[in-house]
Structure formats: structure tokens, C-alpha cells
Amino acid sequence: MEIKETKLKFREGMEKRFKVLEYIVIHHTASTRDMTVQEIHQLHLNQGENWKGIGYHFYIDKQGIIWRGRPEEMSGSHALDYNSVSIGICLSGNFEIEKPTDNQLKSLSELLQYLKQKYGNVQVVGHRDLNATACPGKNLYSKLGSVIANSNTPKDEYVKVFMSNNKLSVVLDNGSKFTFPFTNKEELLRKLSIGLKITK
Ligand SMILES: [Zn+2]
């Protein structure tokens, strides 16, 4: 995973985010045009003196490139009442009417994995879970479950395998035991080559 650095210039007076991170909040631009991170930065600067620059910490364009927005240690400006305890990620698109690209979803999973490794198991939510808004749009919101699942670091699982006369036994981590009878070595190899069906 790569985060493209942007060297954006922010107005003075940004506040630090709280040390404890509670949420990672997912947004969309609500625009079908693939804006650049610099455009969004300018758009937010144009909102007035209170706006210090782009409100999101990360921006993922339609190609799936991850751009740095506001510095990670600074409080963002993306989710009313939650800015000091969250990191904001925005994806390019209006996901009420279009779908996120596969590259965007893949990059989002990778970014979430990186952030969760850095900050611990933070809760990932859609903007609409916190504020009254349609953001990040129904076509992205409905994908968040699988994106979050893909961002979880896989856990090691172990099985124990025993062999006795004409019987192969497999014991899973949770203690469940499965036995597979076979009559000769060829049959065992054939069974192993097609895979052992184990139901937890
Ligand atoms: Zn939003």
C-alpha cells in the first residue's frame, strides 16, 4: 500500500486530534467527477476562514490511488461532533448513483488494514452512522462489511493431523475431530488431492 504525499498548505490553527482514536469514518465526494485531492483542498479552503483545508485525512480517487489529505495527527473536519476522535477517508464518487471501482475498494481495505495495525482495532463506520446524511452513499455503504472483513489481519489457525491404520484424523483448534477412512495409500492421496471437507 502506498500513500501519495501531497504537501498541501493548510491555514493556521488546526487542532490536534485526541490520542485515542475511536472511529474511522468513510465518506464520498457526492460528485461523479473524479476530483483531485488538490481540488477538494481548495474547495474546503473556499468555505471560509474557519476551514483550514481539506477536511479528510485520506482521499482515494477512482483509480484507487490513496492521497494524503490533512495530517493524521490533526483533527479533521468531516464528521460533526466526532472530528477529534476520528480519521476521515473520502472516496471519489457519488455512490448514491454510481458504484465504487474495484481498485477503490481494494485500496480502502489496504488503508484500513494499515490504520488498524497502527491504532488498534478502531471501529470503521460510514458517515451516515454518525450524522444525518446519505454519505457515503448506498452503493459504498453496502460494501463496507466486506471491505472491513478484507482489512482484518488473517488469524493463524492450526489443525492437528493423526494417522492410524486406514484412518486419517483431523483435529481443529476448537477441538472438533473429523476422521477420514481409506483403504490404501492411493485412495488417501486421491482424497487429499481433492480436499477434505470439514464442517465446523
Ligand atoms: Zn461524509
Side-chain angles (χ1 to χ4, degrees):
M1 191 217 46
E2 191 197 349
I3 298 165
K4 291 259 193 200
E5 300 299 337
T6 44
K7 299 194 179 75
L8 300 171
K9 290 244 182 311
F10 288 83
R11 277 203 183 97
E12 303 261 303
M14 272 194 297
E15 284 174 22
K16 284 228 170 196
R17 191 170 49 69
F18 289 177
K19 279 234 155 52
V20 178
L21 187 66
E22 288 184 26
Y23 298 101
I24 296 171
V25 189
I26 312 299
H27 303 265
H28 69 160
T29 57
S31 163
T32 54
R33 194 169 65 79
D34 196 18
M35 287 194 276
T36 64
V37 65
Q38 288 84 1
E39 278 180 288
I40 297 170
H41 181 59
Q42 197 53 52
L43 212 67
H44 287 183
L45 279 173
N46 293 348
Q47 301 291 310
E49 285 294 315
N50 286 339
W51 289 64
K52 310 303 178 194
I54 188 167
Y56 313 113
H57 297 89
F58 299 97
Y59 178 61
I60 303 177
D61 68 19
K62 286 197 189 292
Q63 280 185 68
I65 297 172
I66 304 168
W67 301 90
R68 170 96 55 203
R70 193 171 288 223
E72 231 170 279
E73 69 279 10
M74 291 298 174
S75 193
S77 184
H78 58 93
L80 191 66
D81 297 333
Y82 296 92
N83 286 314
S84 53
V85 292
S86 68
I87 278 181
I89 302 173
C90 182
L91 276 72
S92 171
N94 182 343
F95 304 123
E96 278 297 308
I97 55 177
E98 59 182 333
K99 290 194 169 120
T101 66
D102 289 345
N103 283 345
Q104 281 182 305
L105 295 176
K106 186 167 168 283
S107 294
L108 179 56
S109 280
E110 289 172 1
L111 180 57
L112 291 177
Q113 185 169 23
Y114 162 80
L115 291 172
K116 287 200 273 186
Q117 277 167 3
K118 195 165 170 181
Y119 296 103
N121 229 348
V122 183
Q123 207 184 335
V124 181
V125 296
H127 189 188
R128 74 185 211 188
D129 294 319
L130 301 179
N131 300 137
T133 170
C135 181
K138 58 179 192 276
N139 296 329
L140 174 55
Y141 191 78
S142 64
K143 295 271 186 205
L144 283 188
S146 64
V147 167
I148 292 165
N150 288 337
S151 74
N152 294 333
T153 313
K155 265 205 316 224
D156 291 337
E157 286 199 58
Y158 296 93
V159 294
K160 289 192 190 100
V161 180
F162 303 94
M163 192 124 65
S164 58
N165 285 339
N166 301 334
K167 208 168 72 182
L168 178 76
S169 303
V170 177
V171 183
L172 303 187
D173 263 353
N174 66 8
S176 327
K177 187 175 172 183
F178 301 86
T179 54
F180 302 90
F182 59 92
T183 47
N184 54 46
K185 197 174 133 202
E186 282 68 35
E187 193 195 346
L188 172 66
L189 289 176
R190 191 176 49 77
K191 278 193 169 169
L192 288 175
S193 72
I194 55 173
L196 301 172
K197 187 164 189 275
I198 288 172
T199 313
K200 278 194 197 184

